[in-house]
């Protein structure tokens, strides 16, 4: 029966010869045709054809009779993916019509990278009104100029610029270089007796290509007279056969290709060709595309030989680092040579290519080693029955990324995830997406437009460097340029939609990044003459949120506010450059601006930049009390107004801010330098809650405790956590500025600084003692019981993670901690336990290290009175085994009874 199926496949492929939408019905066949052609019964024909449908070789149309067709041939020809069956041929035709013409380009390696600029030029030529524009393809030998024109013809057909039956004629001028008269005759036609050997009249290619496309390869071989005749045709659309005087007309689209420089042509001829398209050579296309090309050509050779081909990593490395003078053609010949050599050495069915199978010149070319990214891993196997897709759509990558963001947001909306976890998972997805794009760009060649965008972005970021509160690096600017070139300019984001709730959540929770993006994007839109969608803006905010803040956590915010076109921004820019970071923001106000206008600008700045430590405002007008009256009902931060504006004054204040001085200290020092009007206003709204962290070993550990607490509290309670020097607290107490600004709930640390009237809590008490009780005591009635339990669990898990990280060398710490957390929760439920934090920490550490020991086959073999333990605690042992089976399955280990004994001790004994 397998023989019958092979014959049906041959029949299906024969039916698809000259497959076109205009006569698509000819590609289908039914069981009676199989029966007649292959001389089998109808039952046999039907069963075999349906098996091929199930295997993905054919697809069928459920008409009467049922029709079949070659699935792969349809997918290749029309650039779509088909299901196994359809209700009618019209349904298939509608699918084909809906496929965008641009899908034709996806068969080309580098269509969205090195060839993207060339394809944009091609589309310009194709859609120019009238008969399009002639194009000149330029590039080295073997870069794929002829293939480019084939794709161009396919694209024009798909886009209905040409009909499916339009002629496509090709002439290689190099073949007739020594006979220019014959070359001219082939092109324009000739009459009988026009020259020696013209025994009968002949139609020229211009005439034959009427209403279609004519491609002249190696057109530099056309002599001056031929070029003159050709540009006359391009001007008027008319020509004359050799030996005739009659003028003839034709409507032909023209494509030319050459390996020579423009100087080799008549300039009058070149002027008629407005679009010159450069096809890059393999070295210019980058290492990633070079590897794709090599893999594609191995697959092609495998299909031709109808034998699998196996290639070692070393062979692949040599092929990757070789410079090919003949480009794609030379790579293909090298692969053919290697396959031939391997076949001659061995009679095996599989072609096994090793280093000795490569041509000798390869080793000569690689005598000087080059530093490339090498291919590593197991051998590659290329099978003739499977064609690996060599291209991937950047648009699909973006769509998949947005889908993942959307899915995580839906989980949050449905109550399955907290805001804390949503932001954490978004950060992972955004960072991964950015890293992948930058990595791809690292190995891709940059087109001139992309280089221009990158240069422009570097200029913009350089100008804004001292006006924003984020640290930019080269990779981030590269990513920004890459995103704009790949997605925005090509309209990939125009049809994308994000739910309103997601956009609102991003606006609300990433205000600082949003404020910076609102300054950045208008400048980019102006300089690059483009516009961003709401999806672009939302994604840019998330991208920017991955960067570190440039300001120190303890620094204040400061604004220079002045009337005039650029007074404030000029002073702020000078001061920021001299101070070395973005200490001052600026607000330029119109001369006619009112107090209401000024107050609104300040209010907006505070909200957008999430100002919460205090604000210094240098202003060029009086009435400070009146401005504060406008603001006091809405703000909950202290504001220091200084009614004097100047570069020296701003620099002095900037230095004080960078030294970590609080508003009270700055106000006092400014009064000493005779500033005309200095007023410090404290907030009238309820103060923000805060916790101080400290450690006698220094500020570094206090910051670590701060990060630990932030990770546990984020998304649960809005609170400020302030790391403070232990000795400052012990000697000077809590600063008046902090007392004025915050409602201080507690000091958490490793040692008590003995601050009067403060609530000190040992970190160890929270971690190892009654954590939930201490957390409830700190926050009193501001958190629910469920929130307190969740914070306590996070605290224990995160603290355990810090201890485990240094102990594990094999395992993914995040993954093992999540699995252990699940096991602890199961044990508490099934054994009716309420484990203390100390026992939970012990479980996290012990079980994580136990799994790594088991993977290394270094399990603990001894346990005191093992037999007695196994007899007396059978129920607990069964529960522990059941709960820990998830670890056994995940890591392919078995937890022995001795290890269960020690886990039992942690759960029940001191």
């Amino acid at each position: 029966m397998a023989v019958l199926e092979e014959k049906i496949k041959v029949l299906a492929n024969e039916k698809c010869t000259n497959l076109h939408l205009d006569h698509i019905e000819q590609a289908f066949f039914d069981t009676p045709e199989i029966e007649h052609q292959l001389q089998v019964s109808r039952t046999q024909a039907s069963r075999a054809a349906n098996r091929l449908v199930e295997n993905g070789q054919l697809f069928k149309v459920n008409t009467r009779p049922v029709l079949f067709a070659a699935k792969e041939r349809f997918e290749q020809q029309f650039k779509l993916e088909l299901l196994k069956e359809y209700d009618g041929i019209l349904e298939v035709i509608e699918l084909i019509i809906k496929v965008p013409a641009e899908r034709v380009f996806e068969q080309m390696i580098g269509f969205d990278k090195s060839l993207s600029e060339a394809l944009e030029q091609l589309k310009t030529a194709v859609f120019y009104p009238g008969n399009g524009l002639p194009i000149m393809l330029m590039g080295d030998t073997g870069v794929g100029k002829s293939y480019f024109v084939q794709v161009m013809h396919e694209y024009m057909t798909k886009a209905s610029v040409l009909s499916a039956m339009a002629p496509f004629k090709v002439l290689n001028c190099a073949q007739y270089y020594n006979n220019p008269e014959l070359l001219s005759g082939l092109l324009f036609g000739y009459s009988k007796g026009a020259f020696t050997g013209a025994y009968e009249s002949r139609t020229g290619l211009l005439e034959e290509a009427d209403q279609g496309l004519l491609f002249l390869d190696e057109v530099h071989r056309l002599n001056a007279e031929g070029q003159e005749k050709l540009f006359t045709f391009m001007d008027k659309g008319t020509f004359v056969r050799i030996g005739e005087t009659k003028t003839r007309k034709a409507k032909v689209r023209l494509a030319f290709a050459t390996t020579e420089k423009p100087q080799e042509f008549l300039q009058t001829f070149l002027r008629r060709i407005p679009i010159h398209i450069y096809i890059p050579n393999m070295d210019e296309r980058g290492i990633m595309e070079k590897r794709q090309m090599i893999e594609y050509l191995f697959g092609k050779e495998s299909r031709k030989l109808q034998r699998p081909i196996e290639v070692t990593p070393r062979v692949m490395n040599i092929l990757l680092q070789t410079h090919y003078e003949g480009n794609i053609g030379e790579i293909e010949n090298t692969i053919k040579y290697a396959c031939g050599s391997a076949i001659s050495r061995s009679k095996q069915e599989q072609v096994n290519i090793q280093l000795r199978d490569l041509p000798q010149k390869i080793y000569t070319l690689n005598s000087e080693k080059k530093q490339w990214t090498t291919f590593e891993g197991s051998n590659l196997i290329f099978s003739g029955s499977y064609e690996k897709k060599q291209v991937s759509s950047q648009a699909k990558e973006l769509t998949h990324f947005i889908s993942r963001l959307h899915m995580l947001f839906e989980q949050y909306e449905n109550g399955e995830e907290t805001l804390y976890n949503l932001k954490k998972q978004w950060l992972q997805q955004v960072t991964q997406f950015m890293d992948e794009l930058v990595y791809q760009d690292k190995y891709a060649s940059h087109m001139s437009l992309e280089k221009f965008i990158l240069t422009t972005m570097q200029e913009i970021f350089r100008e804004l460097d001292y006006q924003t509160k984020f640290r930019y690096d080269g990779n981030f600017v590269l990513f920004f340029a890459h995103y704009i070139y790949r997605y925005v300019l090509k309209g990939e984001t125009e049809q994308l939609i994000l739910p309103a709730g997601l956009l609102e959540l991003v606006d609300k929770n990433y205000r600082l990044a949003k404020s910076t993006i609102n300054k950045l994007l208008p400048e980019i839109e102006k300089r690059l003459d483009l516009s961003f969608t709401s999806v672009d803006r939302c994604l840019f905010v998330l991208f920017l949120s991955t960067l570190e803040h440039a300001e120190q956590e303890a620094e204040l915010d400061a604004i220079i506010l002045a009337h005039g076109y650029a007074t404030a921004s000029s002073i702020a820019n000078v001061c920021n450059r001299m101070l070395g970071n973005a200490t001052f923001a600026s607000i330029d106000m119109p001369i006619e601006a009112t107090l209401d206008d000024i107050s609104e600008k300040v209010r907006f700045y505070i909200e957008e930049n999430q100002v919460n430590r205090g604000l210094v405002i240098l202003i060029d007008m009086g009435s400070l009390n009146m401005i504060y009256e406008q603001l006091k009902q809405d703000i909950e931060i202290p504001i220091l107004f200084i009614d004097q504006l100047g570069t020296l004054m701003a620099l002095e204040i900037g230095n004080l801010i960078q030294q970590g001085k609080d508003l009270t200290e700055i106000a006092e020092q400014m009064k000493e330098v005779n500033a005309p009007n200095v007023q410090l206003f404290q907030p009238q709204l309820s103060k923000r809650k805060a916790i101080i962290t400290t450690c006698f070993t220094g500020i570094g550990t206090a910051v670590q405790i701060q990060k630990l607490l932030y990770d546990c509290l984020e998304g649960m309670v809005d609170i400020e956590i302030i790391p403070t020097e232990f000795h400052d607290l012990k000697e000077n107490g809590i600063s008046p500025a902090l007392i004025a600004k915050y409602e201080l709930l507690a000091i958490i640390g490793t040692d008590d600084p003995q601050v009067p009237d403060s609530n000190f809590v040992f970190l160890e008490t929270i971690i190892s003692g009654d954590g939930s009780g201490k957390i409830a005591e700190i926050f009193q009635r501001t958190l629910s019981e469920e929130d307190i339990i969740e914070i306590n669990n996070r605290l224990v898990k995160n603290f355990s993670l810090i201890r485990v990280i240094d102990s594990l060398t094999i395992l993914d710490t995040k993954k093992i901690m999540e699995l252990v957390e699940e096991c602890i929760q199961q044990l508490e439920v099934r054994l009716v336990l309420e484990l203390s934090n100390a026992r939970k920490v012990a479980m996290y550490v012990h079980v994580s290290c136990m799994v790594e020991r088991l993977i290394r086959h270094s399990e603990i073999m001894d346990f005191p009175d093992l037999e007695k333990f196994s007899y007396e605690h059978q129920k607990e042992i069964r529960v522990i085994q059941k709960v820990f089976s998830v670890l056994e399955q995940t890591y392919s280990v078995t937890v022995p009874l001795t290890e269960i004994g020690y886990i039992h001790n942690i759960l029940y004994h001191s």
Side-chain angles (χ1 to χ4, degrees):
M1 193 60 70
V3 175
L4 176 57
E5 290 173 12
E6 286 299 321
K7 290 181 177 179
I8 293 174
K9 284 164 61 178
V10 171
L11 172 64
N13 286 325
E14 287 175 352
K15 298 285 287 184
C16 288
T17 306
N18 299 321
L19 179 58
H20 289 293
L21 186 61
D22 294 347
H23 42 82
I24 197 171
E25 293 85 356
Q26 297 176 13
F28 290 90
F29 57 94
D30 55 18
T31 48
E33 186 171 351
I34 300 174
E35 179 186 10
H36 174 71
Q37 293 273 5
L38 305 181
Q39 299 298 307
V40 295
S41 71
R42 189 165 300 185
T43 303
Q44 288 177 314
S46 177
R47 287 177 178 172
N50 279 292
R51 272 197 299 273
L52 288 171
V53 170
E54 287 303 312
N55 294 336
Q57 304 290 321
L58 304 179
F59 72 98
K60 68 180 181 180
V61 177
N62 292 318
T63 53
R64 291 191 178 181
V66 174
L67 299 175
F68 301 90
K71 186 170 182 283
E72 188 176 358
R73 290 291 293 274
F74 265 71
E75 289 179 336
Q76 287 177 354
Q77 177 68 20
F78 299 114
K79 308 299 179 294
L80 78 169
E81 294 180 8
L82 292 171
L83 302 175
K84 290 181 178 179
E85 53 186 276
Y86 293 91
D87 293 331
I89 291 180
L90 279 177
E91 187 179 355
V92 178
I93 292 173
E94 286 175 3
L95 276 176
I96 294 170
I97 292 171
K98 288 178 182 177
V99 174
E102 281 74 12
R103 289 289 296 275
V104 169
F105 298 143
E106 293 183 16
Q107 65 189 290
M108 305 176 76
I109 292 171
F111 78 95
D112 55 354
K113 295 183 179 69
S114 67
L115 296 181
S116 59
E117 188 171 327
L119 292 173
E120 289 300 320
Q121 289 178 285
L122 181 150
K123 287 191 278 186
T124 300
V126 166
F127 289 110
Y128 188 82
N131 200 37
L133 294 172
I135 64 170
M136 175 71 79
L137 295 173
M138 312 187 84
D140 298 340
T141 299
V143 294
K145 298 185 291 293
S146 298
Y147 177 62
F148 192 89
V149 178
Q150 290 175 24
V151 174
M152 174 184 177
H153 177 257
E154 194 176 340
Y155 174 68
M156 288 193 291
T157 303
K158 177 66 182 172
S160 300
V161 174
L162 294 179
S163 73
M165 303 306 294
F168 175 31
K169 299 295 179 179
V170 179
L171 176 64
N172 190 327
C173 301
Q175 294 175 344
Y176 305 95
Y177 174 60
N178 293 322
N179 194 340
E181 198 170 49
L182 177 58
L183 176 57
S184 186
L186 289 172
L187 190 56
F188 299 100
Y190 53 83
S191 62
K192 183 178 179 180
F195 51 85
T196 303
Y199 299 117
E200 58 184 0
S201 297
R202 174 173 176 143
T203 304
L205 287 174
L206 280 177
E207 229 170 315
E208 292 177 359
D210 188 28
Q211 306 301 318
L213 174 66
L214 173 61
F215 171 44
L216 299 184
D217 200 1
E218 304 286 351
V219 71
H220 55 274
R221 299 293 193 180
L222 193 62
N223 63 15
E225 183 183 353
Q227 291 181 39
E228 287 176 356
K229 289 181 180 179
L230 206 50
F231 77 63
T232 300
F233 172 74
M234 286 190 274
D235 284 344
K236 301 178 180 178
T238 61
F239 64 95
V240 177
R241 288 183 183 178
I242 297 174
E244 286 187 357
T245 57
K246 178 184 175 184
T247 300
R248 299 174 183 271
K249 288 186 176 182
K251 187 177 182 181
V252 182
R253 290 173 179 261
L254 296 170
F256 308 104
T258 182
T259 56
E260 300 300 315
K261 295 180 180 178
Q263 293 86 335
E264 298 296 320
F265 294 90
L266 292 177
Q267 293 307 301
T268 48
F269 174 68
L270 275 186
R271 281 201 295 269
R272 268 75 176 185
I273 308 172
I275 296 185
H276 295 187
I277 300 176
Y278 177 70
I279 308 297
N281 60 43
M282 285 312 303
D283 289 342
E284 292 169 327
R285 292 177 67 168
I287 193 71
M288 298 300 286
E289 287 187 22
K290 194 173 190 179
R291 177 179 164 179
Q292 285 182 316
M293 185 65 70
I294 292 170
E295 290 180 350
Y296 166 75
L297 292 173
F298 268 120
K300 179 181 176 183
E301 190 67 15
S302 172
R303 289 188 294 278
K304 181 180 178 181
L305 297 173
Q306 295 187 340
R307 297 166 73 173
I309 299 174
E310 184 171 359
V311 183
T312 66
R314 185 65 183 140
V315 168
M316 182 61 77
N317 287 335
I318 291 290
L319 292 174
L320 281 172
Q321 71 184 28
T322 300
H323 167 70
Y324 299 96
E325 197 69 38
N327 292 287
I328 299 170
E330 187 177 347
I331 297 175
E332 187 166 18
N333 289 337
T334 301
I335 288 171
K336 286 179 181 293
Y337 180 97
C339 290
S341 173
I343 291 169
S344 69
R345 284 190 302 99
S346 171
K347 303 303 181 185
Q348 294 180 3
E349 177 62 25
Q350 180 167 291
V351 181
N352 298 308
I353 296 180
Q354 300 172 357
L355 276 180
R356 57 181 167 176
D357 296 314
L358 297 176
Q360 290 299 311
K361 65 177 181 180
I362 291 284
Y363 306 114
T364 306
L365 292 170
N366 287 285
S367 57
E368 294 182 10
K369 296 295 180 186
K370 300 176 185 178
Q371 296 300 315
W372 292 87
T373 298
T374 57
F375 174 82
E376 297 177 354
S378 57
N379 294 355
L380 282 176
I381 297 178
F382 301 92
S383 171
S385 61
Y386 170 70
E387 181 175 4
K388 179 181 174 184
K389 286 194 173 181
Q390 300 298 325
V391 295
S392 62
S393 171
Q394 296 267 357
K396 287 181 183 176
E397 293 172 8
L398 179 63
T399 305
H400 291 162
F401 165 62
I402 290 176
S403 297
R404 292 194 296 271
L405 297 183
H406 192 179
M407 178 191 71
L408 293 169
F409 173 71
E410 284 182 337
Q411 291 174 0
Y412 165 74
E413 264 198 325
N414 296 334
E416 300 169 21
E417 280 291 358
T418 63
L419 178 62
Y420 167 82
N421 284 332
L422 172 67
K423 292 174 73 174
K424 197 171 182 180
Q425 290 175 27
W426 269 1
L427 177 63
Q428 292 171 349
Q429 293 293 335
V430 170
T431 304
Q432 181 183 346
F433 177 73
M434 293 173 70
D435 287 346
E436 286 173 357
L437 254 67
V438 170
Y439 175 79
Q440 290 171 9
D441 189 78
K442 182 179 179 182
Y443 294 105
S445 57
H446 288 178
M447 297 297 100
S448 55
L449 178 57
E450 190 169 12
K451 289 177 183 175
F452 171 75
I453 293 171
L454 179 58
T455 302
T456 304
M457 294 302 300
Q458 288 169 338
E459 290 173 358
I460 293 173
F461 275 94
R462 200 176 297 119
E463 291 167 10
L464 297 178
D465 193 31
Y466 295 103
Q467 300 178 38
T468 62
K469 297 189 175 184
F470 290 92
R471 286 194 183 97
Y472 306 107
D473 59 23
N475 275 350
F476 184 79
V477 179
L478 177 63
F479 167 78
F480 232 94
H482 191 81
Y483 179 94
I484 290 170
Y485 180 73
R486 300 296 179 199
Y487 302 127
V488 179
L489 285 186
K490 296 182 180 180
E492 301 288 4
T493 60
E494 290 176 1
Q495 305 301 320
L496 298 177
I497 299 174
L498 285 172
L502 190 152
L503 297 173
E504 186 179 335
L505 186 140
V506 170
D507 282 352
K508 183 178 178 182
N509 288 276
Y510 299 89
R511 287 182 177 173
L512 191 57
K514 182 191 171 190
S515 173
T516 303
I517 286 297
N518 286 342
K519 298 173 186 174
L520 187 64
L521 295 192
E523 189 65 25
I524 298 173
E525 288 177 325
K526 181 175 74 175
R527 296 206 199 177
L528 295 179
D529 193 23
L530 50 79
S531 58
F532 296 109
T533 66
S534 59
V535 171
D536 292 324
R537 293 174 182 277
C538 177
L539 294 182
F540 281 139
V541 170
L542 292 176
F543 298 149
L544 195 67
S545 71
T546 63
L547 297 180
E548 295 181 23
H549 289 200
E551 82 275 14
Q552 297 297 317
E553 287 297 324
E555 284 186 8
L556 301 164
D557 282 80
I559 302 175
I560 295 176
L561 195 154
H563 291 79
Y565 174 67
T567 307
S569 55
S570 297
I571 296 173
N573 192 42
V574 170
C575 291
N576 289 339
R577 289 182 181 278
M578 295 182 73
L579 292 167
N581 66 11
T583 302
F584 289 102
S586 60
I587 300 177
D588 294 305
M589 299 296 296
I591 299 297
E592 64 276 8
T594 64
L595 286 176
D596 288 339
D597 297 331
I598 295 170
S599 302
E600 185 58 36
K601 285 282 187 182
V602 173
R603 186 183 293 108
F604 181 78
Y605 175 86
I606 292 170
E607 181 180 340
E608 287 297 301
N609 291 276
Q610 296 179 298
V611 178
N612 49 38
R613 292 179 176 81
L615 178 65
V616 180
I617 298 179
L618 279 72
I619 193 167
D620 66 347
M621 62 176 288
S623 307
L624 303 184
N625 287 320
M626 295 175 66
I627 297 174
Y628 185 71
E629 285 297 319
Q630 299 269 354
L631 296 170
K632 68 181 183 181
Q633 298 301 324
D634 302 319
I635 63 169
E636 49 184 24
I637 59 165
I639 299 180
L640 174 61
F641 283 96
I642 301 176
D643 182 13
Q644 180 168 322
L645 194 56
T647 305
L648 291 176
M649 174 69 73
L651 283 171
E652 179 66 25
I653 292 169
N655 279 318
L656 293 173
I657 291 173
Q658 290 189 347
Q659 292 169 26
K661 303 294 184 183
D662 59 41
L663 290 179
T664 305
E665 293 172 307
I666 295 173
E668 289 171 358
Q669 292 203 30
M670 286 301 99
K671 287 175 182 175
E672 291 175 7
V673 298
N674 297 318
N677 194 354
V678 178
Q679 292 192 37
L680 176 60
F681 297 97
Q682 295 293 346
Q684 294 185 5
L685 292 179
S686 58
K687 298 176 184 177
R688 192 177 185 210
K689 293 178 174 60
I691 291 173
I692 290 174
T693 61
T694 191
C695 179
F696 65 88
T697 62
I699 193 68
T701 307
V703 170
Q704 290 298 318
I705 299 172
Q706 176 204 36
K707 290 178 180 177
L708 175 67
L709 294 176
Y710 264 137
D711 284 343
C712 300
L713 298 174
E714 189 172 351
M716 306 293 290
V717 60
D718 182 25
I719 193 166
E720 191 73 19
I721 302 173
I722 306 163
T724 307
E725 282 283 3
F726 179 83
H727 298 294
D728 284 347
L729 278 176
K730 192 172 183 67
E731 293 173 13
N732 306 317
I734 301 170
S735 75
L738 287 180
I739 293 171
K741 181 178 177 183
Y742 297 108
E743 178 189 346
L744 295 170
L745 302 182
I747 301 173
I748 297 177
T750 56
D751 197 9
D752 189 353
Q754 305 290 324
V755 177
D757 302 320
S758 67
N759 176 24
F760 177 77
V761 180
F762 281 99
L763 178 64
E764 186 179 350
T765 305
I766 299 178
I767 300 296
S768 302
D770 178 18
S772 298
K774 281 296 178 185
I775 293 168
E777 181 184 315
I778 292 170
F779 293 104
Q780 296 179 351
R781 289 175 295 278
T782 58
L783 288 174
S784 66
E785 185 178 346
E786 292 80 5
D787 288 342
I788 289 169
I789 293 171
E790 172 66 17
I791 291 172
N792 181 64
N793 290 338
R794 285 184 189 176
L795 195 63
V796 172
K797 180 181 175 183
N798 290 340
F799 181 74
S800 303
L801 180 61
I802 293 169
R803 293 182 60 184
V804 165
I805 282 173
D806 293 331
S807 304
L808 301 184
T809 57
I810 297 176
L811 297 178
D812 177 345
T813 50
K814 180 176 181 294
K815 181 178 178 182
I816 186 66
M817 294 297 282
E818 288 175 352
L819 290 171
V820 175
E821 180 183 28
E822 184 181 331
C823 291
I824 291 172
Q825 292 171 354
Q826 288 288 322
L827 288 172
E828 285 188 306
V829 172
R830 296 189 182 200
L831 296 175
V832 196
L833 294 172
E834 188 173 339
L835 298 177
S836 68
N837 285 356
R839 292 186 191 276
K840 287 180 181 178
V841 170
M843 282 290 290
Y844 275 116
V845 176
H846 178 83
V847 175
S848 300
C849 295
M850 176 195 75
V851 172
E852 180 144 323
R853 285 199 311 274
L854 294 177
I855 292 173
R856 295 178 180 274
H857 302 290
S858 303
E859 63 268 23
I860 297 173
M861 304 301 294
D862 299 319
F863 182 80
D865 297 323
L866 186 61
E867 288 187 13
K868 180 182 178 183
F869 165 72
S870 63
Y871 178 76
E872 292 179 352
H873 301 286
Q874 294 180 37
K875 176 192 171 186
E876 292 90 343
I877 291 170
R878 282 197 301 272
V879 171
I880 294 171
Q881 287 175 328
K882 179 68 175 174
V883 168
F884 278 74
S885 63
V886 65
L887 292 175
E888 294 179 324
Q889 293 169 9
T890 303
Y891 295 104
S892 301
V893 296
T894 301
V895 180
L897 187 59
T898 51
E899 295 282 8
I900 291 174
Y902 286 105
I903 292 168
H904 183 273
N905 281 354
I906 293 172
L907 296 176
Y908 289 100
H909 300 162
S910 60

